[in-house]
Amino acid sequence: MENGATPARTAPAPVIVAVDGPSGTGKSSTSKAVAARLGLSYLDTGAQYRAMTWWMITNGVDVTDAVAVATAAGKPVLVSGTDPAGPTITVDGTDASAPIRTQDVTAKVSAVSAVPELRAVVTELQRSIAAAAVNGIVVEGRDIGTTVLPDADVKIFLTASPEARAARRSGELTGKEATDVAATKDALIKRDTADSSRRTSPLAKAGDAIEVDTTELTLQQVVERVVALVEEKRAAR
């Protein structure tokens, strides 16, 4: 090094963060905020399963027929934008961000997600996106820490009371899709049961995941907690 030269700063090593948990626990808001704070990419895997479900519905595939879903699983082309400030998802080149959030898709996504052949296709896509994230990535879903990225550097499992989750999810619905909190709570519990009991990659907390109950926490408090855990992991390397 020449006299007076400033030593080059070493960029933080890429870090993979898995955030799992049921609907309404704040996974998306937390994951996007953490990714933005730490300069990481972001992937909403639930949006990918919703996109698959929307494609099946749009193309007349019977989502209750596992064989039909499995046969069609390789047809749609999903592209997920991983900028936490503006994540996107397209299906066969069409922006699917809005239609995948309808109540019809919500009601059918668990059945589609339970098909092993479809999960295999989506899991491979998720792993390739994570591997391509130069600075690292925050990946949120239901089986990230257990199945998709079992070697993730940091694993978080978010929980919250059914009442808190229902209130949050109801607040996300507008217009014709709006429902009361009680109905939303029943729907969430039904989906929890379906996602936790499916034979392939069920919703589950990884043995080495850190559980964070978000019921009484603000979004900012949850984000700070997760950021601290990631920075602690980076510092220990």
Side-chain angles (χ1 to χ4, degrees):
M1 182 184 300
E2 297 181 6
N3 291 337
T6 302
R9 294 182 61 183
T10 303
V15 61
I16 293 180
V17 183
V19 180
D20 288 309
S23 299
T25 55
K27 290 196 308 294
S28 293
S29 299
T30 297
S31 298
K32 283 187 282 190
V34 168
R37 277 273 298 273
L38 297 173
L40 306 177
S41 297
Y42 160 76
L43 178 62
D44 175 1
T45 64
Q48 295 177 318
Y49 284 107
R50 284 176 170 273
M52 280 288 199
T53 303
W54 175 68
W55 186 93
M56 297 287 170
I57 295 170
T58 303
N59 287 274
V61 178
D62 181 358
V63 299
T64 65
D65 183 344
V67 174
V69 171
T71 300
K75 295 180 180 179
V77 177
L78 273 57
V79 176
S80 296
T82 58
D83 180 355
T88 59
I89 185 161
T90 64
V91 184
D92 296 339
T94 299
D95 180 6
S97 301
I100 66 172
R101 300 296 173 182
T102 63
Q103 198 62 39
D104 189 30
V105 170
T106 298
K108 296 173 179 175
V109 65
S110 287
V112 172
S113 301
V115 177
E117 292 85 354
L118 183 137
R119 293 200 74 83
V121 170
V122 179
T123 295
E124 182 179 352
L125 174 61
Q126 292 162 358
R127 287 173 176 162
S128 67
I129 291 171
V134 178
N135 296 323
I137 191 169
V138 179
V139 184
E140 60 141 311
R142 286 169 169 72
D143 66 340
I144 310 307
T146 54
T147 302
V148 180
L149 300 168
D151 296 324
D153 300 296
V154 179
K155 299 179 185 179
I156 307 294
F157 192 86
L158 299 184
T159 63
S161 70
E163 292 75 17
R165 293 167 53 208
R168 292 168 184 167
R169 184 46 55 92
S170 292
E172 296 173 359
L173 302 176
T174 59
K176 294 181 180 179
E177 303 299 337
T179 57
D180 61 51
V181 175
T184 302
K185 177 182 174 182
D186 289 343
L188 286 175
I189 291 174
K190 183 177 180 180
R191 184 169 180 194
D192 286 351
T193 301
D195 289 347
S196 301
S197 60
R198 66 176 177 239
R199 301 179 74 175
T200 303
S201 302
L203 163 66
K205 175 187 172 186
D208 54 349
I210 299 169
E211 184 171 321
V212 178
D213 188 332
T214 68
T215 304
E216 302 294 336
L217 300 178
T218 65
L219 172 60
Q220 188 59 33
Q221 288 173 321
V222 179
V223 171
E224 293 294 342
R225 175 88 185 273
V226 176
V227 167
L229 290 169
V230 176
E231 292 184 330
E232 180 181 334
K233 179 67 178 183
R234 277 178 162 173
R237 288 182 170 180

